[in-house]
Amino acid sequence: MSLNVIHNQLQQAWQQLDQQWQKTTALWDDPVRWRFEQDFWRGLERQVPATLQAIERLAQVIAQARQNVH
Amino acid sequence: MSLSARVRSVQALEELKSALARFGIEAQTALHAARQELLCTEECLRQRLAYWQAEVQRRQEEVRLAEATLARCRAAGYRDPRTSASYTPPCIAEQQAVQQAYARLQKAQEELNNVRRWKYLVDEAASAYSLQAEQMSRFLSTDFPNATAFLGEKVRELQAYLTAAPPTGTGGAFPVSPAPTAGTTPGGTASAGAGPSCGWVDTGIQMVSLDQVDLSDSPVADTGDFHKVTAQEMQEGLRKLQDVVAPAVAQGADGAYFSRLDAAQGLDYAHGYRRIYDAFYGQDCIRLDKVGDRYLVFNGYHRLFVARQLGIQSLPARVMAPRP
């Protein structure tokens, strides 16, 4: 599986989870949720885009390497 | 000060928990696949590096042989003893062979340098990626199980509350969660008793006009969203409510009355009237929050959806209102 496919699949999964989160926060608004958001969700919001970016960067370099190395 | 829990859909929390679990698996799979792809690329680059290193050596040997051949050719020159004239062979082919060997060597050295350069760039990108992947992997293996377990616990607490809450209460309020303690994983245990300044009062079971119920955030869009009970079963239940249960309750009937009625008619709980009573007047009743002249749904989206489909104007529901 190419890194571009992996990147797209992870991005799609993340979008789906984020949509579910938005839906849930509209129905769950109390200190427990705020704490959950602070302790877990914000960390996830940092980690996933950073991972997607790292995969994207790696995919670019690997694609260029494959094109240029004979 | 305690603050009231504000969860208007247990199902939404369950769905979030499932979505988190699915994402965790997909993310782990993605990290594994990316790692495999990276290993494959690194191996490919190692092979190309070894190939061009060997080619450089082989072509260096070609140059050495070509130069030796050229040297032998040039050494074949001689002086004519009769005329004293020197004869030097042109060695054109040998000179061309040397030039070609050098060109081939130069090409191999360029390719070798190119592979080294790209290997360096890939190694650099791989290091940056691996650092991030390691953080993500750690997050998935530690924070994720904690978060899904926490949500599972929260769902169980809410379900337990919905099952165990008293039908009426003096100062009864939504379950409250203790204010979270800094530095701890969220997971406050639901308990009764909101603070006097921020609680909700249970106003008991009331007939509520469905026009005033806000279903804009309902997770139920069609009959495909019914899982525990089918839409058809719910329609039959609502008809029993309208035809038998609600009129009897209006005249003072309670749960015991409907249990006796079921026994008299030979109906088990699943098909009887007691179940309908429990679903609308008992522990499983619809729960609404009164905000202004509107009602927000805490529990009962499916029943409300079917009721609207059937054109029912009002339903019994337990109404919580802000403490004056």
Side-chain angles (χ1 to χ4, degrees):
Chain A
M1 192 189 302
S2 81
L3 282 172
N4 283 329
V5 173
I6 294 165
H7 177 273
N8 290 343
Q9 286 181 350
L10 184 61
Q11 190 167 43
Q12 199 176 354
W14 171 236
Q15 283 169 350
Q16 285 173 356
L17 179 60
D18 190 49
Q19 280 171 6
Q20 184 62 49
W21 170 251
Q22 299 302 333
K23 185 179 161 187
T24 306
T25 53
L27 300 167
W28 179 25
D29 186 20
D30 63 16
V32 179
R33 194 266 280 176
W34 305 337
R35 188 73 191 182
F36 181 81
E37 186 169 357
Q38 185 182 326
D39 285 359
F40 174 72
W41 186 259
R42 285 183 190 165
L44 190 63
E45 275 185 325
R46 282 192 300 273
Q47 290 297 330
V48 179
T51 303
L52 282 167
Q53 199 175 9
I55 293 175
E56 192 175 16
R57 170 71 186 137
L58 186 63
Q60 284 172 355
V61 174
I62 285 179
Q64 287 174 340
R66 286 187 171 169
Q67 197 176 354
N68 290 292
V69 170
H70 306 114
Chain B
M1 179 180 73
S2 298
L3 295 170
S4 299
R6 297 285 302 149
V7 186
R8 290 193 285 112
S9 171
V10 178
Q11 187 184 344
L13 257 66
E14 285 178 322
E15 285 172 359
L16 177 64
K17 178 174 172 281
S18 300
L20 268 177
R22 277 198 306 276
F23 179 80
I25 293 168
E26 284 168 353
Q28 290 280 21
T29 305
L31 290 180
H32 179 72
R35 180 76 194 140
Q36 294 296 106
E37 183 69 6
L38 179 57
L39 288 173
C40 180
T41 303
E42 287 174 338
E43 177 57 25
C44 175
L45 285 172
R46 268 194 296 274
Q47 287 178 7
R48 297 318 292 163
L49 187 68
Y51 171 81
W52 285 114
Q53 281 172 335
E55 275 298 294
V56 166
Q57 286 182 351
R58 194 174 68 79
R59 293 180 191 191
Q60 282 172 337
E61 182 62 13
E62 281 179 3
V63 167
R64 195 186 64 76
L65 290 173
E67 284 182 332
T69 304
L70 178 61
R72 278 197 302 278
C73 178
R74 284 177 175 161
Y78 62 94
R79 182 184 292 272
D80 189 335
R82 289 178 298 172
T83 62
S84 297
S86 293
Y87 170 74
T88 305
C91 299
I92 293 170
E94 287 77 4
Q95 281 184 29
Q96 283 178 342
V98 168
Q99 285 172 356
Q100 285 173 355
Y102 268 112
R104 283 169 51 78
L105 174 60
Q106 188 182 357
K107 171 74 176 161
Q109 283 172 332
E110 284 172 1
E111 291 292 349
L112 179 60
N113 289 338
N114 187 47
V115 175
R116 282 179 174 149
R117 176 171 166 269
W118 280 107
K119 188 173 182 307
Y120 171 78
L121 290 172
V122 168
D123 285 348
E124 208 174 37
S127 294
Y129 166 75
S130 297
L131 201 65
Q132 178 54 42
E134 200 177 314
Q135 282 183 27
M136 182 71 194
S137 186
R138 206 178 307 122
F139 195 83
L140 289 170
S141 62
T142 55
D143 295 56
F144 248 73
N146 290 341
T148 49
F150 168 72
L151 283 177
E153 181 64 23
K154 186 72 187 162
V155 167
R156 279 191 294 278
E157 284 174 7
L158 288 167
Q159 284 171 338
Y161 167 75
L162 292 173
T163 304
T168 58
T170 53
F174 277 120
V176 294
S177 298
T181 307
T184 60
T185 303
T189 305
S191 60
S197 61
C198 54
W200 288 68
V201 179
D202 183 348
T203 64
I205 300 285
Q206 301 177 15
M207 289 302 286
V208 175
S209 169
L210 297 196
D211 290 342
Q212 291 177 272
V213 179
D214 183 355
L215 286 176
S216 61
D217 58 0
S218 174
V220 184
D222 55 47
T223 52
D225 291 326
F226 286 73
H227 305 294
K228 293 176 187 168
V229 179
T230 66
Q232 192 181 352
E233 285 175 322
M234 211 166 267
Q235 286 174 0
E236 288 168 5
L238 280 162
R239 289 195 185 99
K240 284 181 184 170
L241 172 74
Q242 288 199 296
D243 296 345
V244 178
V245 178
V249 169
Q251 294 181 24
D254 59 10
Y257 168 82
F258 292 106
S259 294
R260 288 195 298 275
L261 183 63
D262 289 344
Q265 296 189 9
L267 297 171
D268 61 15
Y269 182 78
H271 300 90
Y273 293 101
R274 176 60 193 259
R275 184 188 183 194
I276 307 304
Y277 175 86
D278 288 343
F280 290 94
Y281 298 93
Q283 59 188 16
D284 302 326
C285 64
I286 295 171
R287 289 166 190 255
L288 305 173
D289 297 352
K290 191 169 194 305
V291 179
D293 60 352
R294 305 288 295 167
Y295 294 88
L296 304 179
V297 182
F298 181 86
N299 182 47
Y301 282 112
H302 292 82
R303 280 165 282 180
L304 291 162
F305 175 85
V306 173
R308 277 199 174 169
Q309 274 194 327
L310 293 175
I312 293 173
Q313 301 296 314
S314 60
L315 278 182
R318 182 171 302 287
V319 175
M320 309 297 290
R323 190 183 297 278

Short mmCIF file of all heavy atoms in Angstrom, two decimals, chain A residues 14-60:
data_model
loop_
_atom_site.label_atom_id
_atom_site.label_comp_id
_atom_site.label_asym_id
_atom_site.label_seq_id
_atom_site.Cartn_x
_atom_site.Cartn_y
_atom_site.Cartn_z
N TRP A 14 -10.00 10.15 10.18
CA TRP A 14 -9.94 11.28 11.11
C TRP A 14 -11.13 12.21 10.90
O TRP A 14 -11.75 12.69 11.86
CB TRP A 14 -8.61 12.02 10.94
CG TRP A 14 -8.51 13.32 11.66
CD1 TRP A 14 -8.24 14.53 11.13
CD2 TRP A 14 -8.67 13.55 13.08
NE1 TRP A 14 -8.22 15.49 12.09
CE2 TRP A 14 -8.49 14.93 13.30
CE3 TRP A 14 -8.97 12.73 14.16
CZ2 TRP A 14 -8.57 15.49 14.56
CZ3 TRP A 14 -9.07 13.30 15.43
CH2 TRP A 14 -8.86 14.65 15.61
N GLN A 15 -11.48 12.46 9.65
CA GLN A 15 -12.62 13.33 9.36
C GLN A 15 -13.91 12.74 9.92
O GLN A 15 -14.74 13.45 10.48
CB GLN A 15 -12.75 13.55 7.85
CG GLN A 15 -11.73 14.55 7.31
CD GLN A 15 -11.68 14.58 5.79
OE1 GLN A 15 -12.26 13.75 5.13
NE2 GLN A 15 -10.94 15.54 5.25
N GLN A 16 -14.04 11.42 9.78
CA GLN A 16 -15.24 10.76 10.30
C GLN A 16 -15.32 10.88 11.82
O GLN A 16 -16.36 11.16 12.39
CB GLN A 16 -15.26 9.29 9.88
CG GLN A 16 -15.61 9.12 8.41
CD GLN A 16 -15.46 7.69 7.94
OE1 GLN A 16 -15.02 6.82 8.69
NE2 GLN A 16 -15.80 7.45 6.70
N LEU A 17 -14.16 10.65 12.46
CA LEU A 17 -14.14 10.74 13.92
C LEU A 17 -14.43 12.18 14.37
O LEU A 17 -15.17 12.40 15.33
CB LEU A 17 -12.78 10.27 14.46
CG LEU A 17 -12.62 10.34 15.98
CD1 LEU A 17 -13.65 9.48 16.69
CD2 LEU A 17 -11.21 9.91 16.40
N ASP A 18 -13.85 13.14 13.67
CA ASP A 18 -14.06 14.54 14.03
C ASP A 18 -15.53 14.92 13.88
O ASP A 18 -16.08 15.65 14.71
CB ASP A 18 -13.17 15.43 13.14
CG ASP A 18 -13.16 16.87 13.63
OD1 ASP A 18 -12.95 17.07 14.84
OD2 ASP A 18 -13.37 17.79 12.82
N GLN A 19 -16.16 14.41 12.82
CA GLN A 19 -17.60 14.69 12.64
C GLN A 19 -18.41 14.11 13.80
O GLN A 19 -19.33 14.74 14.30
CB GLN A 19 -18.08 14.07 11.32
CG GLN A 19 -17.73 14.92 10.11
CD GLN A 19 -18.03 14.20 8.81
OE1 GLN A 19 -18.60 13.11 8.80
NE2 GLN A 19 -17.62 14.79 7.70
N GLN A 20 -18.03 12.89 14.22
CA GLN A 20 -18.72 12.27 15.34
C GLN A 20 -18.52 13.08 16.61
O GLN A 20 -19.44 13.26 17.42
CB GLN A 20 -18.22 10.83 15.54
CG GLN A 20 -18.94 10.07 16.63
CD GLN A 20 -20.42 9.88 16.35
OE1 GLN A 20 -20.80 9.47 15.26
NE2 GLN A 20 -21.26 10.19 17.32
N TRP A 21 -17.31 13.60 16.76
CA TRP A 21 -17.01 14.43 17.94
C TRP A 21 -17.88 15.70 17.93
O TRP A 21 -18.45 16.09 18.94
CB TRP A 21 -15.52 14.78 17.95
CG TRP A 21 -15.16 15.80 18.98
CD1 TRP A 21 -14.79 17.10 18.77
CD2 TRP A 21 -15.16 15.64 20.41
NE1 TRP A 21 -14.55 17.73 19.95
CE2 TRP A 21 -14.77 16.87 20.98
CE3 TRP A 21 -15.45 14.56 21.25
CZ2 TRP A 21 -14.66 17.05 22.35
CZ3 TRP A 21 -15.35 14.76 22.63
CH2 TRP A 21 -14.95 15.98 23.15
N GLN A 22 -17.96 16.35 16.76
CA GLN A 22 -18.77 17.58 16.66
C GLN A 22 -20.23 17.26 17.02
O GLN A 22 -20.88 18.03 17.72
CB GLN A 22 -18.70 18.16 15.24
CG GLN A 22 -17.31 18.54 14.79
CD GLN A 22 -16.64 19.56 15.68
OE1 GLN A 22 -17.31 20.35 16.34
NE2 GLN A 22 -15.32 19.52 15.76
N LYS A 23 -20.71 16.14 16.51
CA LYS A 23 -22.09 15.73 16.78
C LYS A 23 -22.28 15.50 18.28
O LYS A 23 -23.29 15.89 18.86
CB LYS A 23 -22.36 14.44 15.99
CG LYS A 23 -23.76 13.93 16.04
CD LYS A 23 -23.87 12.67 15.18
CE LYS A 23 -25.08 11.86 15.54
NZ LYS A 23 -25.09 10.56 14.83
N THR A 24 -21.28 14.85 18.89
CA THR A 24 -21.40 14.51 20.30
C THR A 24 -21.34 15.76 21.18
O THR A 24 -22.10 15.89 22.15
CB THR A 24 -20.29 13.53 20.71
OG1 THR A 24 -20.33 12.41 19.85
CG2 THR A 24 -20.46 13.07 22.15
N THR A 25 -20.46 16.68 20.84
CA THR A 25 -20.32 17.88 21.70
C THR A 25 -21.60 18.72 21.67
O THR A 25 -21.86 19.47 22.61
CB THR A 25 -19.13 18.75 21.26
OG1 THR A 25 -19.25 19.05 19.87
CG2 THR A 25 -17.82 18.06 21.54
N ALA A 26 -22.36 18.59 20.56
CA ALA A 26 -23.63 19.32 20.52
C ALA A 26 -24.62 18.75 21.53
O ALA A 26 -25.57 19.43 21.94
CB ALA A 26 -24.22 19.24 19.12
N LEU A 27 -24.39 17.51 21.96
CA LEU A 27 -25.32 16.84 22.87
C LEU A 27 -24.73 16.62 24.26
O LEU A 27 -25.40 16.15 25.16
CB LEU A 27 -25.72 15.48 22.28
CG LEU A 27 -26.42 15.51 20.92
CD1 LEU A 27 -26.48 14.14 20.30
CD2 LEU A 27 -27.82 16.08 21.07
N TRP A 28 -23.46 16.91 24.39
CA TRP A 28 -22.77 16.65 25.66
C TRP A 28 -21.95 17.88 26.01
O TRP A 28 -20.94 18.16 25.38
CB TRP A 28 -21.86 15.42 25.50
CG TRP A 28 -21.07 15.04 26.72
CD1 TRP A 28 -21.37 15.31 28.02
CD2 TRP A 28 -19.84 14.32 26.74
NE1 TRP A 28 -20.42 14.79 28.85
CE2 TRP A 28 -19.47 14.18 28.10
CE3 TRP A 28 -19.02 13.77 25.76
CZ2 TRP A 28 -18.30 13.52 28.49
CZ3 TRP A 28 -17.86 13.11 26.15
CH2 TRP A 28 -17.51 12.98 27.49
N ASP A 29 -22.44 18.60 27.00
CA ASP A 29 -21.77 19.85 27.34
C ASP A 29 -21.78 20.03 28.86
O ASP A 29 -22.69 20.62 29.42
CB ASP A 29 -22.48 21.02 26.66
CG ASP A 29 -21.73 22.32 26.86
OD1 ASP A 29 -20.53 22.27 27.19
OD2 ASP A 29 -22.35 23.39 26.72
N ASP A 30 -20.81 19.46 29.50
CA ASP A 30 -20.70 19.58 30.94
C ASP A 30 -19.23 19.50 31.33
O ASP A 30 -18.37 19.29 30.47
CB ASP A 30 -21.55 18.50 31.64
CG ASP A 30 -21.08 17.09 31.33
OD1 ASP A 30 -19.94 16.93 30.83
OD2 ASP A 30 -21.83 16.14 31.58
N PRO A 31 -18.91 19.68 32.60
CA PRO A 31 -17.49 19.69 33.00
C PRO A 31 -16.75 18.41 32.66
O PRO A 31 -15.54 18.43 32.41
CB PRO A 31 -17.56 19.90 34.52
CG PRO A 31 -18.84 20.62 34.73
CD PRO A 31 -19.79 20.07 33.73
N VAL A 32 -17.47 17.29 32.65
CA VAL A 32 -16.80 16.02 32.33
C VAL A 32 -16.34 16.05 30.87
O VAL A 32 -15.23 15.63 30.54
CB VAL A 32 -17.74 14.83 32.59
CG1 VAL A 32 -17.05 13.52 32.23
CG2 VAL A 32 -18.13 14.80 34.06
N ARG A 33 -17.22 16.57 30.01
CA ARG A 33 -16.83 16.66 28.59
C ARG A 33 -15.67 17.64 28.42
O ARG A 33 -14.73 17.37 27.67
CB ARG A 33 -18.03 17.11 27.76
CG ARG A 33 -17.81 16.91 26.27
CD ARG A 33 -17.27 18.13 25.58
NE ARG A 33 -18.33 19.09 25.31
CZ ARG A 33 -18.11 20.29 24.78
NH1 ARG A 33 -16.89 20.68 24.48
NH2 ARG A 33 -19.11 21.12 24.57
N TRP A 34 -15.75 18.77 29.13
CA TRP A 34 -14.67 19.75 28.99
C TRP A 34 -13.35 19.12 29.40
O TRP A 34 -12.33 19.33 28.78
CB TRP A 34 -14.94 20.98 29.87
CG TRP A 34 -16.26 21.63 29.61
CD1 TRP A 34 -17.02 21.55 28.46
CD2 TRP A 34 -17.02 22.42 30.53
NE1 TRP A 34 -18.19 22.25 28.61
CE2 TRP A 34 -18.22 22.80 29.86
CE3 TRP A 34 -16.82 22.86 31.83
CZ2 TRP A 34 -19.19 23.59 30.46
CZ3 TRP A 34 -17.77 23.66 32.43
CH2 TRP A 34 -18.96 24.01 31.75
N ARG A 35 -13.41 18.32 30.47
CA ARG A 35 -12.19 17.68 30.95
C ARG A 35 -11.70 16.61 29.94
O ARG A 35 -10.51 16.49 29.68
CB ARG A 35 -12.48 17.01 32.31
CG ARG A 35 -11.26 16.48 33.00
CD ARG A 35 -10.43 17.62 33.56
NE ARG A 35 -9.13 17.15 34.00
CZ ARG A 35 -8.23 17.92 34.55
NH1 ARG A 35 -8.46 19.20 34.70
NH2 ARG A 35 -7.08 17.43 34.93
N PHE A 36 -12.66 15.88 29.41
CA PHE A 36 -12.33 14.86 28.39
C PHE A 36 -11.68 15.54 27.19
O PHE A 36 -10.69 15.05 26.64
CB PHE A 36 -13.63 14.15 27.96
CG PHE A 36 -13.43 13.07 26.94
CD1 PHE A 36 -13.02 11.81 27.31
CD2 PHE A 36 -13.67 13.31 25.60
CE1 PHE A 36 -12.84 10.80 26.37
CE2 PHE A 36 -13.49 12.32 24.65
CZ PHE A 36 -13.08 11.06 25.04
N GLU A 37 -12.24 16.67 26.83
CA GLU A 37 -11.72 17.42 25.68
C GLU A 37 -10.28 17.89 25.95
O GLU A 37 -9.41 17.76 25.11
CB GLU A 37 -12.63 18.62 25.42
CG GLU A 37 -12.29 19.39 24.16
CD GLU A 37 -13.36 20.41 23.80
OE1 GLU A 37 -14.40 20.47 24.49
OE2 GLU A 37 -13.16 21.12 22.82
N GLN A 38 -10.09 18.38 27.17
CA GLN A 38 -8.77 18.91 27.52
C GLN A 38 -7.74 17.79 27.66
O GLN A 38 -6.63 17.91 27.17
CB GLN A 38 -8.88 19.69 28.84
CG GLN A 38 -7.59 20.39 29.24
CD GLN A 38 -7.75 21.11 30.57
OE1 GLN A 38 -8.83 21.61 30.87
NE2 GLN A 38 -6.71 21.14 31.36
N ASP A 39 -8.13 16.71 28.33
CA ASP A 39 -7.17 15.64 28.63
C ASP A 39 -6.92 14.70 27.47
O ASP A 39 -5.86 14.10 27.37
CB ASP A 39 -7.67 14.81 29.83
CG ASP A 39 -7.48 15.54 31.12
OD1 ASP A 39 -6.95 16.67 31.09
OD2 ASP A 39 -7.85 14.99 32.18
N PHE A 40 -7.90 14.55 26.59
CA PHE A 40 -7.73 13.57 25.52
C PHE A 40 -7.88 14.16 24.12
O PHE A 40 -6.98 14.05 23.30
CB PHE A 40 -8.74 12.43 25.70
CG PHE A 40 -8.73 11.46 24.56
CD1 PHE A 40 -7.67 10.58 24.38
CD2 PHE A 40 -9.76 11.44 23.63
CE1 PHE A 40 -7.65 9.70 23.31
CE2 PHE A 40 -9.75 10.56 22.55
CZ PHE A 40 -8.68 9.70 22.40
N TRP A 41 -9.02 14.81 23.89
CA TRP A 41 -9.33 15.20 22.52
C TRP A 41 -8.31 16.19 21.96
O TRP A 41 -7.90 16.08 20.80
CB TRP A 41 -10.74 15.77 22.44
CG TRP A 41 -11.13 16.03 21.02
CD1 TRP A 41 -11.13 17.22 20.37
CD2 TRP A 41 -11.51 15.05 20.05
NE1 TRP A 41 -11.49 17.05 19.07
CE2 TRP A 41 -11.73 15.73 18.84
CE3 TRP A 41 -11.68 13.67 20.09
CZ2 TRP A 41 -12.12 15.07 17.68
CZ3 TRP A 41 -12.07 13.03 18.93
CH2 TRP A 41 -12.28 13.72 17.75
N ARG A 42 -7.92 17.15 22.76
CA ARG A 42 -6.96 18.14 22.25
C ARG A 42 -5.63 17.49 21.90
O ARG A 42 -4.97 17.89 20.94
CB ARG A 42 -6.77 19.27 23.26
CG ARG A 42 -7.97 20.21 23.27
CD ARG A 42 -7.78 21.38 24.19
NE ARG A 42 -9.02 22.10 24.34
CZ ARG A 42 -9.26 22.99 25.28
NH1 ARG A 42 -8.34 23.26 26.17
NH2 ARG A 42 -10.42 23.61 25.34
N GLY A 43 -5.25 16.50 22.68
CA GLY A 43 -4.02 15.75 22.37
C GLY A 43 -4.17 15.03 21.03
O GLY A 43 -3.26 15.04 20.20
N LEU A 44 -5.33 14.45 20.83
CA LEU A 44 -5.60 13.75 19.57
C LEU A 44 -5.59 14.74 18.41
O LEU A 44 -5.06 14.45 17.34
CB LEU A 44 -6.95 13.04 19.66
CG LEU A 44 -7.29 12.08 18.53
CD1 LEU A 44 -6.32 10.92 18.50
CD2 LEU A 44 -8.72 11.56 18.68
N GLU A 45 -6.17 15.91 18.65
CA GLU A 45 -6.20 16.95 17.61
C GLU A 45 -4.80 17.42 17.22
O GLU A 45 -4.60 17.90 16.12
CB GLU A 45 -7.00 18.16 18.11
CG GLU A 45 -8.48 18.03 17.90
CD GLU A 45 -9.23 19.28 18.30
OE1 GLU A 45 -8.81 19.94 19.28
OE2 GLU A 45 -10.22 19.62 17.66
N ARG A 46 -3.87 17.30 18.15
CA ARG A 46 -2.48 17.65 17.82
C ARG A 46 -1.79 16.48 17.12
O ARG A 46 -1.10 16.66 16.14
CB ARG A 46 -1.70 18.00 19.10
CG ARG A 46 -2.00 19.39 19.64
CD ARG A 46 -0.97 19.75 20.72
NE ARG A 46 -0.99 18.82 21.84
CZ ARG A 46 -1.78 18.92 22.88
NH1 ARG A 46 -2.63 19.92 22.96
NH2 ARG A 46 -1.74 18.04 23.86
N GLN A 47 -1.99 15.29 17.66
CA GLN A 47 -1.24 14.13 17.17
C GLN A 47 -1.63 13.73 15.75
O GLN A 47 -0.75 13.42 14.93
CB GLN A 47 -1.46 12.94 18.11
CG GLN A 47 -0.80 13.08 19.47
CD GLN A 47 0.71 13.14 19.36
OE1 GLN A 47 1.31 12.58 18.47
NE2 GLN A 47 1.35 13.86 20.28
N VAL A 48 -2.92 13.70 15.47
CA VAL A 48 -3.35 13.17 14.17
C VAL A 48 -2.89 14.05 13.00
O VAL A 48 -2.26 13.56 12.07
CB VAL A 48 -4.87 12.92 14.13
CG1 VAL A 48 -5.28 12.40 12.76
CG2 VAL A 48 -5.27 11.91 15.19
N PRO A 49 -3.16 15.37 13.05
CA PRO A 49 -2.66 16.20 11.93
C PRO A 49 -1.14 16.16 11.81
O PRO A 49 -0.62 16.16 10.69
CB PRO A 49 -3.15 17.61 12.30
CG PRO A 49 -4.34 17.38 13.16
CD PRO A 49 -4.00 16.16 13.96
N ALA A 50 -0.43 16.11 12.95
CA ALA A 50 1.03 16.02 12.88
C ALA A 50 1.47 14.72 12.22
O ALA A 50 2.42 14.70 11.43
CB ALA A 50 1.62 16.13 14.29
N THR A 51 0.77 13.65 12.53
CA THR A 51 1.09 12.36 11.91
C THR A 51 0.77 12.38 10.42
O THR A 51 1.56 11.89 9.60
CB THR A 51 0.30 11.22 12.60
OG1 THR A 51 0.61 11.24 14.00
CG2 THR A 51 0.67 9.87 12.03
N LEU A 52 -0.37 12.96 10.07
CA LEU A 52 -0.73 13.07 8.65
C LEU A 52 0.32 13.87 7.89
O LEU A 52 0.72 13.53 6.79
CB LEU A 52 -2.11 13.73 8.52
CG LEU A 52 -3.30 12.82 8.81
CD1 LEU A 52 -4.58 13.64 8.97
CD2 LEU A 52 -3.48 11.79 7.71
N GLN A 53 0.77 14.95 8.52
CA GLN A 53 1.78 15.80 7.89
C GLN A 53 3.10 15.03 7.72
O GLN A 53 3.74 15.13 6.68
CB GLN A 53 2.01 17.04 8.76
CG GLN A 53 2.66 18.18 8.01
CD GLN A 53 2.76 19.43 8.87
OE1 GLN A 53 2.50 19.39 10.09
NE2 GLN A 53 3.14 20.53 8.28
N ALA A 54 3.45 14.27 8.74
CA ALA A 54 4.70 13.48 8.67
C ALA A 54 4.60 12.42 7.58
O ALA A 54 5.57 12.20 6.83
CB ALA A 54 4.98 12.83 10.03
N ILE A 55 3.45 11.78 7.45
CA ILE A 55 3.27 10.78 6.40
C ILE A 55 3.35 11.46 5.02
O ILE A 55 3.97 10.95 4.09
CB ILE A 55 1.93 10.04 6.56
CG1 ILE A 55 1.94 9.18 7.83
CG2 ILE A 55 1.63 9.16 5.35
CD1 ILE A 55 0.61 8.51 8.15
N GLU A 56 2.71 12.62 4.92
CA GLU A 56 2.70 13.34 3.64
C GLU A 56 4.12 13.72 3.22
O GLU A 56 4.50 13.53 2.07
CB GLU A 56 1.84 14.60 3.79
CG GLU A 56 1.51 15.26 2.47
CD GLU A 56 0.55 16.43 2.64
OE1 GLU A 56 0.38 16.91 3.78
OE2 GLU A 56 -0.01 16.85 1.62
N ARG A 57 4.89 14.23 4.17
CA ARG A 57 6.26 14.63 3.89
C ARG A 57 7.09 13.40 3.48
O ARG A 57 7.85 13.45 2.51
CB ARG A 57 6.86 15.30 5.13
CG ARG A 57 8.34 15.56 5.08
CD ARG A 57 8.69 16.67 4.11
NE ARG A 57 10.14 16.81 3.97
CZ ARG A 57 10.77 17.00 2.82
NH1 ARG A 57 10.10 17.07 1.70
NH2 ARG A 57 12.08 17.11 2.78
N LEU A 58 6.92 12.33 4.22
CA LEU A 58 7.65 11.10 3.91
C LEU A 58 7.25 10.57 2.53
O LEU A 58 8.12 10.14 1.75
CB LEU A 58 7.35 10.04 4.99
CG LEU A 58 8.14 8.74 4.90
CD1 LEU A 58 9.63 8.99 5.08
CD2 LEU A 58 7.64 7.74 5.93
N ALA A 59 5.96 10.64 2.22
CA ALA A 59 5.48 10.16 0.92
C ALA A 59 6.10 10.96 -0.22
O ALA A 59 6.50 10.39 -1.24
CB ALA A 59 3.95 10.26 0.87
N GLN A 60 6.20 12.27 -0.01
CA GLN A 60 6.79 13.13 -1.05
C GLN A 60 8.25 12.75 -1.29
O GLN A 60 8.69 12.59 -2.43
CB GLN A 60 6.71 14.60 -0.63
CG GLN A 60 5.32 15.20 -0.78
CD GLN A 60 5.23 16.59 -0.17
OE1 GLN A 60 6.18 17.07 0.45
NE2 GLN A 60 4.09 17.22 -0.33
#
